[in-house]
Amino acid sequence: MGTFVEIKLHDALSPELAYACMDKAFTAIETVQQLMSFHDSQSELSHLNQNAFYHTVQVHPLTYAVLKRAQRIFYASYGLFDCSIANTLVNWELLPDHLQQNHTDQTIHSQAHLQLLGDNSVRFTQPILLDLGGIAKGFAVDLAIYSLKKSGIKNAVVNAGGDLRILGHIAEEIVIRDPQNLQEFHALGALANGALATSASYFSKTEHGNALVNPINRQALDSEHSFSVIAPTAHVADALTKVVAISQNPQHPCLKLFAAQAMYFLVTSGFIMSFSIKIPHLQRYFLYLVWLTLAVTGVYFAYSQDWQMQDPSDLTVNILKTHGITAAIFLVILGSLIAVHIRLALRIKRNLITGLIMLSLMSILAISGTGLYYSPEEWHENVKWAHIWIGLICILWLPLHIMIGIYQRKSN
């Protein structure tokens, strides 16, 4: 797996028993390494890549188990997790070319051409190359945890180069490397009875970009950030970090399928932050309530006073006051959106057109609303109608912005 593996046991054991348990766990990890290493020309994975397009190949049950898990995540992520990117990495000289270019043509084939047959048998329907590096390391960690549980261990930690799984309820402190300063680490808190994995381009920069590849277009990801996933098992966390990195979406729908949560880290002034572009539920519903109140009070007042020219009443006066108060509240909410939602949307270029138009319209609305009170008298009529028409456009534009955002999130 090309990384160091650390095993910690928290149970009270004799040194002999502890070493015996850890030895079994390390043996399980070594088995995965021997079976599924792309770098080893004699591994079972290399044998599979060499032969599975020409005839059915029977593989070890552990290899079959990893392929089965990879296939499930491939379909759940709509192809964003795809082990068949190996030919691209071979062409970039990031993986060894054991096949002497037999399978490394420029045609893009996907993991959909992997067939899992009965009796641990595998077949390729197109000449693909599989690299299990995006899931096998996590699977090895899970296998080590399984070995420790079989040995009676109740509290342990297995860490394979950042793919981490904690067994039991003794929490482990979690730190993440700063993606822009490799000598610094940032504490995130503690994790118990779960797994965490992180993907970033710390040590994999190439002339093409980095080794995180978008399987759809086979381009290197242009990102300096790191992406972490917490999940019940390490192989799921390991694989889903690629989904989050490629989609740039910490709320990707397939996370829920695997009971996982994602974190998207940006570094600002030495601090690392985790957040999602999706507005939290409470803030979102409060925004909708304030927006609806603004719309109803604004439309009612404009209709009764500016179109119908009715005489002012206590009702219209109170509606105008309510409109003014909710407008002030909305400006506060807008400020909170700038800090995370708008800032992150600009970074990942999500829903920019409708979002920037919405922001511009609201800015004009705020300025014209102020102008209703402080503009010169001769401007008042023009400012009033500008405020009314921009307000009506905003009422329709916000739902459009929300619907496009939902569509883009689902398409990712």
Side-chain angles (χ1 to χ4, degrees):
M1 291 181 290
T3 189
F4 291 103
V5 179
E6 176 188 15
I7 297 178
K8 293 194 294 186
L9 305 181
H10 293 299
D11 292 2
L13 304 170
S14 66
E16 294 79 10
L17 182 56
Y19 283 125
C21 292
M22 286 193 290
D23 188 57
K24 291 179 182 178
F26 278 119
T27 299
I29 293 172
E30 186 178 0
T31 300
V32 174
Q33 164 73 14
Q34 291 173 349
L35 289 171
M36 304 175 213
S37 170
F38 192 98
H39 293 268
D40 181 2
S41 62
Q42 303 303 312
S43 71
E44 185 172 68
L45 178 62
S46 293
H47 176 71
L48 185 68
N49 282 330
Q50 291 167 3
N51 297 286
F53 177 56
Y54 303 107
H55 57 80
T56 300
V57 177
Q58 191 172 47
V59 297
H60 191 283
L62 291 179
T63 305
Y64 193 84
V66 170
L67 292 173
K68 192 172 182 179
R69 286 160 171 77
Q71 199 75 330
R72 184 185 176 202
I73 298 174
F74 168 76
Y75 285 111
S77 66
Y78 304 101
L80 292 184
F81 175 77
D82 192 333
C83 297
S84 71
I85 60 167
N87 66 326
T88 300
L89 297 176
V90 169
N91 289 334
W92 293 354
E93 299 182 353
L94 292 176
L95 288 177
D97 182 11
H98 297 313
L99 305 184
Q100 299 301 313
Q101 297 295 322
N102 287 344
H103 284 303
T104 54
D105 59 60
Q106 299 301 313
T107 305
I108 295 179
H109 298 302
S110 76
Q111 194 177 306
H113 297 296
L114 165 66
Q115 286 188 338
L116 300 178
L117 309 174
D119 197 27
N120 298 329
S121 296
V122 180
R123 181 74 190 268
F124 298 164
T125 59
Q126 290 291 337
I128 60 174
L129 286 179
L130 297 181
D131 173 27
L132 298 177
I135 190 172
K137 186 166 68 170
F139 181 81
V141 170
D142 290 334
L143 201 62
I145 288 290
Y146 178 72
S147 172
L148 293 172
K149 289 174 70 175
K150 281 184 63 178
S151 298
I153 303 299
K154 299 190 182 310
N155 297 279
V157 179
V158 178
N159 185 353
D163 281 16
L164 178 77
R165 184 168 171 186
I166 297 99
L167 170 65
H169 298 286
I170 297 179
E172 181 78 4
E173 291 296 320
I174 303 297
V175 295
I176 298 293
R177 188 185 297 273
D178 189 323
Q180 296 182 3
N181 185 348
L182 302 185
Q183 307 306 315
E184 290 189 12
F185 293 83
H186 300 269
L188 297 184
L191 177 66
N193 209 24
L196 177 139
T198 299
S199 282
S201 57
Y202 306 139
F203 307 115
S204 58
K205 296 291 180 64
T206 74
E207 60 182 295
H208 301 278
N210 64 63
L212 289 174
V213 179
N214 185 329
I216 309 301
N217 58 22
R218 298 303 171 98
Q219 299 296 313
L221 295 185
D222 182 19
S223 176
E224 298 295 327
H225 312 313
S226 69
F227 308 89
S228 296
V229 170
I230 296 174
T233 58
H235 80 272
V236 166
D238 192 10
L240 291 184
T241 56
K242 286 72 179 176
V243 176
V244 175
I246 294 164
S247 67
Q248 302 274 297
N249 181 9
Q251 301 287 338
H252 193 280
C254 81
L255 291 165
K256 288 185 179 180
L257 296 177
F258 298 95
Q261 293 181 317
M263 293 170 284
Y264 173 44
F265 294 103
L266 307 176
V267 177
T268 304
S269 303
F271 293 96
I272 200 157
M273 300 177 291
S274 167
F275 44 78
S276 164
I277 191 172
K278 187 176 181 181
I279 302 171
H281 290 294
L282 184 60
Q283 184 184 13
R284 187 164 72 250
Y285 296 144
F286 186 58
L287 167 64
Y288 294 163
L289 177 62
V290 171
W291 187 259
L292 182 63
T293 304
L294 268 177
V296 171
T297 55
V299 169
Y300 179 86
F301 188 86
Y303 178 77
S304 63
Q305 300 300 303
D306 297 299
W307 273 291
Q308 296 293 316
M309 304 296 291
Q310 297 175 1
D311 292 333
S313 64
D314 290 341
L315 176 61
T316 54
V317 169
N318 289 331
I319 283 177
L320 182 60
K321 289 179 180 179
T322 303
H323 187 75
I325 293 170
T326 51
I329 295 172
F330 182 79
L331 289 176
V332 175
I333 297 174
L334 180 61
S336 69
L337 294 180
I338 292 173
V340 174
H341 179 74
I342 296 174
R343 183 180 176 189
L344 182 55
L346 290 171
R347 280 182 177 268
I348 66 176
K349 298 179 176 59
R350 174 77 57 77
N351 206 2
L352 282 184
I353 295 176
T354 59
L356 290 175
I357 292 174
M358 187 75 217
L359 194 59
S360 301
L361 290 172
M362 288 190 292
S363 299
I364 297 172
L365 201 61
I367 293 170
S368 61
T370 304
L372 290 173
Y373 294 94
Y374 300 107
S375 65
E377 186 65 31
E378 61 270 20
W379 293 9
H380 189 269
E381 192 68 15
N382 291 331
V383 170
K384 178 186 73 175
W385 285 108
H387 187 76
I388 290 172
W389 285 111
I390 294 294
L392 291 173
I393 294 172
C394 282
I395 290 172
L396 300 175
W397 200 265
L398 180 63
L400 175 66
H401 176 69
I402 293 170
M403 287 187 291
I404 291 176
I406 292 172
Y407 172 78
Q408 289 184 350
R409 187 164 67 247
K410 288 183 176 178
S411 66
N412 281 329

